[in-house]
Amino acid sequence: GGYTHLSADELGMTKLHLIQILISSLLLICIAFKFIKAMLSSQGQVHVALITVGFALTLDILSNLSEMIHSTWYNINGIGIYSFDCLASHFEAQCDALIALVLILVGSGWTLPTDVIVTGGDSNMSMLGTTSVIQKLVAGLRSPSLAIHQLFSGNPATILLFFVLISHAVLAQWGRTFDDDFDSYHALDHIAGKAVIVFRVALGLIFLIGAASVRNSGRCPRALYPFLMRFQFVGLSWFLSLPFVSMVSSLLPDYNKHLAMASGSAMVQACSLTSLVWLFCADASSSAYHRLTTVTKENDMNFADASTGGAGARMWKIGKTKIRLD
């Protein structure tokens, strides 16, 4: 073909970005359909988890669009538009942060009713042999809205939630300080990329602790066990996929490493987002989880305003729309 400013390891990236945009857009349409359907129901109620996944999909689309704009201009002038490449890194990082948080929260029992999990630092934590800090962390992850309410009292769950979001932003910006022509947020070429991988594995450990506490609570229905095992497998696969993909791509020739790393990350991201969309959009007959989860409940009228800390199902109310938080 004709002359191009793009290096060999960038060839094929535009097609990959287009595929990612297409998949995320289709998933976002599913979220929008579910949201509109919930709003038109008699209760006008939607779970914040649905909105969070929709926001993650939007960030994924924006990240790929930003990188495509940068790549297009780079092909023209050999420089590109730094701002769009920077935005691509930060959008991608916050998408990762939201996926990690949703996996950790759901794995710890968020969206499950209180008669399925033990809400305090009770017997379900004894099998871990942990300290009260871990007990408070897992209990807080089961009710993030209540944990955030206790921000200034040092609730460990609140600290973790904000730490995950801020750390992903810091790591993305740290990666920008290296002399890379294109977004290398997931790359192993510098220490910032290695830090992302270590951080991902550490979050995976927290995910396992939370999931184990639900499964061993003593109140978890046996019918829910198969779903929990599958969810643990999917969640752990996401947390460990980045080090695995990085290791495999490092074995390839230099001109194939970037595309292999990006393709592997994109495939894992698409699978994880698809799983989360199914988790929050499927109807109540889809699995044992869907028969129990508060995401599919539309007839709970015992609400408490999240700003008051009252009893009942915690929610935000915007006009007639109820956004359930627990």
Side-chain angles (χ1 to χ4, degrees):
Y3 176 78
T4 175
H5 286 287
L6 296 174
S7 58
D9 64 348
E10 284 295 322
L11 298 178
M13 289 297 296
T14 298
K15 291 181 181 179
L16 179 62
H17 292 315
L18 285 172
I19 293 172
Q20 288 180 270
I21 291 171
L22 176 62
I23 293 173
S24 291
S25 296
L26 291 174
L27 293 174
L28 190 58
I29 290 172
C30 294
I31 291 282
F33 179 78
K34 177 73 173 182
F35 184 87
I36 293 172
K37 182 180 177 182
M39 290 301 93
L40 294 178
S41 68
S42 59
Q43 302 301 327
Q45 174 186 327
V46 66
H47 201 284
V48 70
L50 190 73
I51 299 173
T52 304
V53 175
F55 192 44
L57 286 164
T58 303
L59 289 172
D60 189 55
I61 293 170
L62 290 174
S63 174
N64 284 285
L65 282 174
S66 299
E67 195 60 27
M68 283 182 63
I69 293 172
H70 170 67
S71 179
T72 299
W73 280 98
Y74 189 94
N75 192 30
I76 295 172
N77 59 19
I79 300 174
I81 304 177
Y82 175 86
S83 298
F84 280 99
D85 192 43
C86 183
L87 284 173
S89 295
H90 281 282
F91 286 145
E92 181 182 16
Q94 291 308 307
C95 177
D96 284 355
L98 291 180
I99 292 174
L101 287 176
V102 171
L103 287 172
I104 290 172
L105 291 172
V106 174
S108 298
W110 184 48
T111 73
L112 287 175
T114 55
D115 60 345
V116 173
I117 57 174
V118 180
T119 56
D122 298 315
S123 59
N124 65 313
M125 295 301 298
S126 61
M127 44 75 64
L128 295 171
T130 54
T131 65
S132 60
V133 174
I134 301 298
Q135 293 175 0
K136 290 178 181 178
L137 173 64
V138 175
L141 292 174
R142 289 171 182 163
S143 181
S145 62
L146 183 59
I148 292 174
H149 218 63
Q150 300 170 351
L151 171 63
F152 297 107
S153 64
N155 188 300
T158 310
I159 295 173
L160 177 66
L161 295 178
F162 283 101
F163 179 73
V164 169
L165 293 171
I166 295 171
S167 294
H168 276 80
V170 171
L171 289 169
Q173 189 57 39
W174 187 11
R176 304 301 309 160
T177 63
F178 295 87
D179 189 21
D180 295 323
D181 291 327
F182 289 89
D183 168 32
S184 57
Y185 171 66
H186 285 154
L188 275 173
D189 298 334
H190 44 63
I191 192 171
K194 293 179 175 68
V196 171
I197 292 174
V198 172
F199 188 43
R200 180 76 66 85
V201 173
L203 292 177
L205 179 61
I206 295 174
F207 168 77
L208 277 181
I209 292 174
S213 71
V214 173
R215 192 180 65 251
N216 296 282
S217 66
R219 302 175 67 179
C220 180
R222 287 198 171 274
L224 194 58
Y225 279 23
F227 168 82
L228 291 176
M229 293 300 294
R230 289 193 296 270
F231 183 75
Q232 276 187 266
F233 174 78
V234 171
L236 194 60
S237 296
W238 185 83
F239 284 109
L240 297 181
S241 62
L242 186 56
F244 176 77
V245 172
S246 300
M247 180 184 66
V248 172
S249 63
S250 66
L251 302 176
L252 300 175
D254 289 342
Y255 56 86
N256 284 334
K257 284 183 180 179
H258 181 55
L259 181 59
M261 183 71 188
S263 300
S265 299
M267 182 178 68
V268 171
Q269 198 82 315
C271 291
S272 62
L273 287 168
T274 301
S275 298
L276 290 176
V277 169
W278 172 80
L279 193 68
F280 299 129
C281 287
D283 58 40
S285 63
S286 299
S287 71
Y289 168 82
H290 292 91
R291 288 190 289 273
L292 291 170
T293 178
T294 56
V295 175
T296 58
K297 304 299 182 188
E298 296 185 357
N299 57 354
D300 190 342
M301 298 302 291
N302 183 26
F303 283 103
D305 193 311
S307 63
T308 65
R314 304 182 65 79
M315 60 95 185
W316 286 325
K317 192 171 183 179
I318 304 175
K320 295 182 179 180
T321 301
K322 304 182 187 76
I323 302 176
R324 184 163 186 158
L325 306 180
D326 62 357

Short mmCIF file of all heavy atoms in Angstrom, two decimals, residues 149-181:
data_model
loop_
_atom_site.label_atom_id
_atom_site.label_comp_id
_atom_site.label_asym_id
_atom_site.label_seq_id
_atom_site.Cartn_x
_atom_site.Cartn_y
_atom_site.Cartn_z
N HIS A 149 -21.56 6.34 53.07
CA HIS A 149 -22.15 7.20 54.10
C HIS A 149 -21.22 7.32 55.31
O HIS A 149 -21.29 8.28 56.06
CB HIS A 149 -23.50 6.61 54.53
CG HIS A 149 -24.54 7.63 54.81
ND1 HIS A 149 -25.02 8.50 53.85
CD2 HIS A 149 -25.20 7.95 55.95
CE1 HIS A 149 -25.93 9.29 54.39
NE2 HIS A 149 -26.05 8.98 55.66
N GLN A 150 -20.35 6.32 55.46
CA GLN A 150 -19.43 6.29 56.61
C GLN A 150 -18.01 6.66 56.19
O GLN A 150 -17.03 6.23 56.81
CB GLN A 150 -19.44 4.88 57.23
CG GLN A 150 -20.81 4.45 57.73
CD GLN A 150 -20.85 2.98 58.11
OE1 GLN A 150 -19.92 2.23 57.86
NE2 GLN A 150 -21.96 2.56 58.72
N LEU A 151 -17.89 7.46 55.14
CA LEU A 151 -16.59 7.83 54.58
C LEU A 151 -15.65 8.40 55.63
O LEU A 151 -14.50 7.98 55.76
CB LEU A 151 -16.79 8.84 53.44
CG LEU A 151 -15.52 9.49 52.88
CD1 LEU A 151 -14.62 8.44 52.26
CD2 LEU A 151 -15.88 10.56 51.85
N PHE A 152 -16.15 9.36 56.41
CA PHE A 152 -15.27 10.06 57.34
C PHE A 152 -15.03 9.28 58.63
O PHE A 152 -14.25 9.72 59.47
CB PHE A 152 -15.86 11.44 57.65
CG PHE A 152 -15.93 12.33 56.44
CD1 PHE A 152 -17.15 12.61 55.84
CD2 PHE A 152 -14.78 12.86 55.89
CE1 PHE A 152 -17.22 13.42 54.71
CE2 PHE A 152 -14.83 13.67 54.76
CZ PHE A 152 -16.06 13.95 54.18
N SER A 153 -15.69 8.12 58.76
CA SER A 153 -15.42 7.28 59.92
C SER A 153 -14.37 6.21 59.59
O SER A 153 -14.08 5.35 60.42
CB SER A 153 -16.71 6.61 60.41
OG SER A 153 -17.23 5.74 59.41
N GLY A 154 -13.82 6.28 58.38
CA GLY A 154 -12.74 5.37 57.99
C GLY A 154 -13.19 3.99 57.59
O GLY A 154 -12.45 3.02 57.78
N ASN A 155 -14.40 3.86 57.04
CA ASN A 155 -14.87 2.55 56.59
C ASN A 155 -13.92 2.01 55.51
O ASN A 155 -13.69 2.67 54.49
CB ASN A 155 -16.29 2.67 56.03
CG ASN A 155 -16.91 1.32 55.73
OD1 ASN A 155 -16.40 0.56 54.92
ND2 ASN A 155 -18.02 1.02 56.38
N PRO A 156 -13.31 0.82 55.71
CA PRO A 156 -12.33 0.31 54.74
C PRO A 156 -12.90 0.07 53.35
O PRO A 156 -12.18 0.17 52.35
CB PRO A 156 -11.85 -0.99 55.38
CG PRO A 156 -12.90 -1.37 56.37
CD PRO A 156 -13.48 -0.09 56.85
N ALA A 157 -14.19 -0.26 53.27
CA ALA A 157 -14.81 -0.47 51.96
C ALA A 157 -14.85 0.83 51.16
O ALA A 157 -14.57 0.86 49.96
CB ALA A 157 -16.22 -1.04 52.13
N THR A 158 -15.18 1.92 51.84
CA THR A 158 -15.21 3.23 51.18
C THR A 158 -13.83 3.62 50.70
O THR A 158 -13.66 4.11 49.58
CB THR A 158 -15.73 4.30 52.16
OG1 THR A 158 -16.94 3.86 52.76
CG2 THR A 158 -15.97 5.62 51.43
N ILE A 159 -12.83 3.39 51.55
CA ILE A 159 -11.45 3.70 51.18
C ILE A 159 -11.05 2.91 49.94
O ILE A 159 -10.43 3.43 49.01
CB ILE A 159 -10.51 3.40 52.36
CG1 ILE A 159 -10.82 4.34 53.54
CG2 ILE A 159 -9.05 3.55 51.93
CD1 ILE A 159 -10.06 4.01 54.80
N LEU A 160 -11.43 1.63 49.89
CA LEU A 160 -11.09 0.78 48.74
C LEU A 160 -11.76 1.29 47.47
O LEU A 160 -11.12 1.37 46.41
CB LEU A 160 -11.50 -0.66 49.01
CG LEU A 160 -11.26 -1.64 47.85
CD1 LEU A 160 -9.77 -1.79 47.58
CD2 LEU A 160 -11.90 -2.99 48.12
N LEU A 161 -13.04 1.64 47.56
CA LEU A 161 -13.78 2.10 46.38
C LEU A 161 -13.10 3.32 45.75
O LEU A 161 -12.86 3.37 44.54
CB LEU A 161 -15.22 2.44 46.76
CG LEU A 161 -16.10 1.28 47.23
CD1 LEU A 161 -17.49 1.79 47.60
CD2 LEU A 161 -16.20 0.21 46.17
N PHE A 162 -12.79 4.32 46.58
CA PHE A 162 -12.16 5.52 46.06
C PHE A 162 -10.72 5.26 45.63
O PHE A 162 -10.24 5.83 44.65
CB PHE A 162 -12.22 6.64 47.10
CG PHE A 162 -13.57 7.28 47.21
CD1 PHE A 162 -14.43 6.94 48.25
CD2 PHE A 162 -14.01 8.19 46.27
CE1 PHE A 162 -15.69 7.51 48.36
CE2 PHE A 162 -15.27 8.77 46.37
CZ PHE A 162 -16.11 8.44 47.41
N PHE A 163 -10.04 4.37 46.36
CA PHE A 163 -8.66 4.05 46.02
C PHE A 163 -8.56 3.40 44.65
O PHE A 163 -7.65 3.69 43.87
CB PHE A 163 -8.07 3.12 47.10
CG PHE A 163 -6.64 2.71 46.83
CD1 PHE A 163 -5.61 3.62 47.01
CD2 PHE A 163 -6.35 1.42 46.40
CE1 PHE A 163 -4.29 3.26 46.76
CE2 PHE A 163 -5.03 1.05 46.16
CZ PHE A 163 -4.00 1.97 46.34
N VAL A 164 -9.51 2.51 44.34
CA VAL A 164 -9.50 1.84 43.04
C VAL A 164 -9.68 2.86 41.91
O VAL A 164 -8.94 2.83 40.90
CB VAL A 164 -10.60 0.76 42.97
CG1 VAL A 164 -10.78 0.25 41.54
CG2 VAL A 164 -10.26 -0.40 43.90
N LEU A 165 -10.63 3.76 42.05
CA LEU A 165 -10.89 4.76 41.01
C LEU A 165 -9.69 5.71 40.84
O LEU A 165 -9.24 5.98 39.72
CB LEU A 165 -12.14 5.56 41.36
CG LEU A 165 -13.47 4.79 41.32
CD1 LEU A 165 -14.59 5.63 41.91
CD2 LEU A 165 -13.81 4.38 39.89
N ILE A 166 -9.18 6.21 41.96
CA ILE A 166 -8.07 7.16 41.90
C ILE A 166 -6.79 6.49 41.40
O ILE A 166 -6.05 7.06 40.59
CB ILE A 166 -7.84 7.80 43.29
CG1 ILE A 166 -9.05 8.65 43.68
CG2 ILE A 166 -6.58 8.66 43.29
CD1 ILE A 166 -9.02 9.16 45.11
N SER A 167 -6.54 5.26 41.86
CA SER A 167 -5.32 4.56 41.46
C SER A 167 -5.29 4.29 39.96
O SER A 167 -4.24 4.42 39.31
CB SER A 167 -5.20 3.23 42.22
OG SER A 167 -5.01 3.44 43.59
N HIS A 168 -6.43 3.94 39.39
CA HIS A 168 -6.47 3.71 37.94
C HIS A 168 -6.16 5.00 37.18
O HIS A 168 -5.47 4.98 36.15
CB HIS A 168 -7.83 3.16 37.53
CG HIS A 168 -7.95 1.67 37.69
ND1 HIS A 168 -8.21 1.07 38.90
CD2 HIS A 168 -7.83 0.66 36.79
CE1 HIS A 168 -8.25 -0.23 38.74
NE2 HIS A 168 -8.02 -0.51 37.48
N ALA A 169 -6.67 6.13 37.69
CA ALA A 169 -6.38 7.42 37.05
C ALA A 169 -4.89 7.76 37.17
O ALA A 169 -4.27 8.23 36.20
CB ALA A 169 -7.23 8.52 37.69
N VAL A 170 -4.31 7.51 38.34
CA VAL A 170 -2.89 7.80 38.56
C VAL A 170 -2.01 6.91 37.68
O VAL A 170 -1.06 7.38 37.05
CB VAL A 170 -2.53 7.60 40.05
CG1 VAL A 170 -1.02 7.66 40.25
CG2 VAL A 170 -3.21 8.66 40.92
N LEU A 171 -2.35 5.62 37.60
CA LEU A 171 -1.57 4.70 36.77
C LEU A 171 -1.65 5.06 35.29
O LEU A 171 -0.66 4.96 34.55
CB LEU A 171 -2.05 3.26 36.99
CG LEU A 171 -1.70 2.65 38.35
CD1 LEU A 171 -2.45 1.33 38.55
CD2 LEU A 171 -0.19 2.42 38.46
N ALA A 172 -2.84 5.48 34.85
CA ALA A 172 -2.99 5.89 33.45
C ALA A 172 -2.14 7.11 33.15
O ALA A 172 -1.47 7.19 32.12
CB ALA A 172 -4.47 6.17 33.14
N GLN A 173 -2.16 8.10 34.07
CA GLN A 173 -1.37 9.31 33.85
C GLN A 173 0.12 9.03 33.98
O GLN A 173 0.95 9.62 33.26
CB GLN A 173 -1.78 10.39 34.86
CG GLN A 173 -1.18 11.75 34.58
CD GLN A 173 -1.51 12.26 33.19
OE1 GLN A 173 -2.63 12.09 32.69
NE2 GLN A 173 -0.54 12.90 32.54
N TRP A 174 0.49 8.12 34.87
CA TRP A 174 1.90 7.73 35.01
C TRP A 174 2.41 7.15 33.69
O TRP A 174 3.51 7.46 33.24
CB TRP A 174 2.03 6.71 36.14
CG TRP A 174 3.44 6.34 36.50
CD1 TRP A 174 4.59 6.96 36.08
CD2 TRP A 174 3.85 5.25 37.34
NE1 TRP A 174 5.69 6.33 36.61
CE2 TRP A 174 5.28 5.28 37.39
CE3 TRP A 174 3.16 4.27 38.06
CZ2 TRP A 174 6.00 4.35 38.12
CZ3 TRP A 174 3.89 3.35 38.80
CH2 TRP A 174 5.29 3.39 38.83
N GLY A 175 1.59 6.32 33.07
CA GLY A 175 1.98 5.75 31.78
C GLY A 175 2.17 6.81 30.72
O GLY A 175 2.95 6.62 29.78
N ARG A 176 1.48 7.95 30.86
CA ARG A 176 1.60 9.04 29.87
C ARG A 176 2.95 9.74 29.97
O ARG A 176 3.34 10.44 29.04
CB ARG A 176 0.49 10.08 30.09
CG ARG A 176 -0.93 9.56 30.06
CD ARG A 176 -1.25 8.89 28.76
NE ARG A 176 -0.90 9.73 27.61
CZ ARG A 176 -0.72 9.29 26.39
NH1 ARG A 176 -0.82 7.99 26.14
NH2 ARG A 176 -0.42 10.11 25.41
N THR A 177 3.66 9.57 31.08
CA THR A 177 4.95 10.26 31.25
C THR A 177 6.07 9.59 30.46
O THR A 177 7.16 10.15 30.34
CB THR A 177 5.35 10.31 32.74
OG1 THR A 177 5.52 8.97 33.23
CG2 THR A 177 4.28 11.00 33.56
N PHE A 178 5.80 8.39 29.93
CA PHE A 178 6.81 7.71 29.12
C PHE A 178 6.63 8.11 27.65
O PHE A 178 5.54 8.48 27.22
CB PHE A 178 6.68 6.19 29.28
CG PHE A 178 6.99 5.72 30.68
CD1 PHE A 178 5.98 5.70 31.64
CD2 PHE A 178 8.27 5.32 31.02
CE1 PHE A 178 6.26 5.28 32.94
CE2 PHE A 178 8.54 4.91 32.32
CZ PHE A 178 7.54 4.89 33.27
N ASP A 179 7.70 8.04 26.91
CA ASP A 179 7.71 8.53 25.52
C ASP A 179 7.10 7.51 24.58
O ASP A 179 7.80 6.86 23.80
CB ASP A 179 9.15 8.87 25.10
CG ASP A 179 9.18 9.59 23.75
OD1 ASP A 179 8.14 10.16 23.37
OD2 ASP A 179 10.24 9.56 23.11
N ASP A 180 5.78 7.36 24.65
CA ASP A 180 5.06 6.43 23.78
C ASP A 180 4.20 7.22 22.80
O ASP A 180 3.54 8.19 23.19
CB ASP A 180 4.17 5.48 24.59
CG ASP A 180 4.99 4.57 25.49
OD1 ASP A 180 6.07 4.15 25.06
OD2 ASP A 180 4.52 4.28 26.61
N ASP A 181 4.17 6.79 21.55
CA ASP A 181 3.33 7.47 20.55
C ASP A 181 1.87 7.10 20.70
O ASP A 181 0.99 7.84 20.28
CB ASP A 181 3.81 7.12 19.14
CG ASP A 181 5.18 7.74 18.82
OD1 ASP A 181 5.45 8.84 19.32
OD2 ASP A 181 5.95 7.10 18.08
#
